[in-house]
Amino acid sequence: MTARAADRARYDRATAQLDAPLAIVDLDAFDANADDLVRRAGGKPVRVASKSVRCRALLERVLARDGFAGIMSFTLAESLWLARSGFDDILLAYPSADRAGYAELAADPKLAAAVTVMVDDPAQLDLIDASRAGGDEVVRVCLELDTSLKLFGGRMRVGARRSPLHSPAQIAEVARAIARRPGFKVVGIMAYEGHVAGVGDAVAGHPLRSRAVRLMQAAARRELAARRAAVVAAVREVVPDLEFVNGGGTGSVQYTAAEDAVTEVAAGSGLYVPRLFDNYTSFSGRPAALFALPVVRRPGVGVVTVLGGGYPASGAPGADRLPVPYLPEGLRYDPQEGAGEVQTPLLGPPADDLLIGDKVWFRHAKAGELCERFDALCLVEGDAVTATVPTYRGEGHTFL
């Protein structure tokens, strides 16, 4: 029996009394992935990206482990909710236009101490001040650096379009503007190199493209390491007591952590290891988050139909954004139908061994987006479900 077949047998036994659709997290795999992130971080704390987890119980579990510290959140409303829930170190990774949220933040000393907001434009400070509604708490601010690699005099850009602050001079000028402005304090710098951390460099069947990605990423790491060090030095001249410099992501943890200028790294997807993280040479993890759909039809030889399945991930549309049929091995989508809104036909020899009511296990393309489809996660240890915990959705929250 292969390791994957053994996992399927475990998951089927663990959930034998539960009806699909359902989602699980294999805690043995989750914990092993957490240990691997800590190892790769080389002694620097790992800040957990909540958008990749979207479950309070699992955020609590990983933050109780040595090597993890703090949350990187994705909306202001989520940040405030987490702070009220007892989390006390929350970095909001994206600028917000949530006026009501800023009013709450500026009026509550506990929230203002726990949450740091993201800024890359003085106009964002104007919005925050206009939202205060009398609240006079100092708002903790993090500056975001654009990590994109610019080539040929800036005519070619590789990397996400995020912050407009690219050079040390640009980010230092914004730091000075904030330092002169009452009601705000610069406490950190964030630089997420998504073109390194979030792009696989070993795509099956594409050796030339994979080599080109590796060459690009090596050049990007060198360029960013030098520029990030210069940025940190420039900002420290304005803010000597800077608390943190955050960088990285699951795919670049060990490289980012090796930079002297970086004080912490961020990661989240590496806990669940969705399918988009299969194509990396820098690390390998164990798939920990899966969902099961029930077989409801057997249309013919080599075909079964499961209920649901059309759960595409965000990003540029493509086949790599679809969940992948994982267990039993050997199933594939019908190219004329793909993953359906209500039903999904699956092709392949294993279909003939599946009965009505059997489970087919899938891996989502990305990590936390799976939790937008399910109210709860069944936590599996060995071959038993030992707990069922709510996702954000199960607690009544869909922040985006």
Side-chain angles (χ1 to χ4, degrees):
M1 181 182 290
T2 67
R4 278 174 61 172
D7 282 341
R8 180 195 175 199
R10 283 197 303 116
Y11 301 150
D12 282 346
R13 286 195 299 270
T15 63
Q17 305 306 313
L18 301 175
D19 289 334
L22 59 81
I24 67 167
V25 170
D26 182 335
L27 290 181
D28 293 337
F30 181 90
D31 291 343
N33 293 334
D35 288 342
D36 187 61
L37 287 170
V38 171
R39 177 190 62 80
R40 291 199 287 134
K44 292 185 178 177
V46 180
R47 185 180 290 273
V48 183
S50 63
K51 77 176 181 66
S52 300
V53 179
R54 303 195 201 200
C55 172
R56 278 200 303 165
L58 290 176
L59 289 173
E60 290 168 353
R61 182 184 183 91
V62 72
L63 286 170
R65 303 176 70 88
D66 290 341
F68 289 87
I71 289 175
M72 177 176 282
S73 59
F74 60 98
T75 74
L76 182 54
E78 179 213 13
S79 306
L80 300 177
W81 177 65
L82 290 172
R84 293 192 194 94
S85 301
F87 298 98
D88 60 4
D89 179 6
I90 303 159
L91 170 61
L92 174 57
Y94 308 89
S96 175
D98 181 353
R99 293 177 173 82
Y102 282 131
E104 291 181 51
L105 181 68
D108 189 316
K110 178 184 175 182
L111 297 179
V115 177
T116 300
V117 303
M118 194 63 59
V119 167
D120 56 34
D121 187 324
Q124 295 155 349
L125 306 178
D126 297 337
L127 186 146
I128 296 171
D129 271 339
S131 305
R132 284 180 179 270
D136 59 2
E137 294 296 324
V138 172
V139 175
R140 293 166 53 86
V141 167
C142 179
L143 300 173
E144 180 168 4
L145 172 68
D146 169 35
T147 64
S148 64
L149 176 65
K150 295 186 177 182
L151 304 170
F152 307 111
R155 293 189 298 276
M156 179 178 177
R157 171 197 181 99
V158 180
R161 296 183 181 277
R162 292 175 62 117
S163 171
L165 306 177
H166 189 81
S167 69
Q170 288 174 317
I171 201 164
E173 179 55 35
V174 174
R176 279 190 288 272
I178 297 172
R180 293 192 295 263
R181 189 160 182 160
F184 297 92
K185 181 182 180 182
V186 176
V187 298
I189 298 170
M190 186 190 82
Y192 171 59
E193 53 269 35
H195 49 301
V196 178
V199 177
D201 64 347
V203 182
H206 297 277
L208 295 180
R209 189 173 86 185
S210 298
R211 177 167 172 75
V213 169
R214 288 194 291 275
L215 291 172
M216 176 276 291
Q217 290 180 338
R221 290 197 303 269
R222 289 192 298 270
E223 186 276 336
L224 180 59
R227 181 159 52 91
R228 181 154 38 200
V231 162
V232 172
V235 172
R236 287 195 185 278
E237 289 185 4
V238 181
V239 188
D241 57 345
L242 197 68
E243 295 178 17
F244 64 86
V245 177
N246 179 281
T250 288
S252 67
V253 165
Q254 65 268 42
Y255 303 118
T256 308
E259 295 181 29
D260 291 338
V262 172
T263 66
E264 63 175 42
V265 291
S269 296
L271 296 168
Y272 287 170
V273 187
R275 66 167 293 196
L276 284 178
F277 284 87
D278 288 347
N279 303 320
Y280 284 75
T281 58
S282 61
F283 83 104
S284 62
R286 293 172 55 186
L290 301 95
F291 66 92
L293 301 177
V295 174
V296 292
R297 286 178 169 159
R298 292 169 51 87
V301 175
V303 186
V304 292
T305 301
V306 296
L307 183 70
Y311 308 154
S314 59
D320 65 342
R321 299 292 141 168
L322 294 178
V324 61
Y326 184 60
L327 302 171
E329 297 180 63
L331 292 173
R332 64 186 187 278
Y333 291 119
D334 181 334
Q336 295 185 36
E337 295 196 48
E341 177 187 10
V342 177
Q343 66 172 30
T344 297
L346 298 171
L347 312 179
D352 293 330
D353 297 323
L354 290 169
L355 304 177
I356 300 296
D358 283 352
K359 296 180 177 76
V360 175
W361 296 90
F362 292 75
R363 293 171 64 201
H364 204 274
K366 297 182 76 173
E369 293 181 21
L370 164 68
C371 294
E372 296 301 322
R373 297 288 182 169
F374 293 91
D375 292 338
L377 298 172
C378 299
L379 306 185
V380 173
E381 296 182 78
D383 59 0
V385 172
T386 56
T388 301
V389 295
T391 60
Y392 280 11
R393 170 177 167 166
E395 295 200 67
H397 296 288
T398 51
F399 293 108
L400 277 179

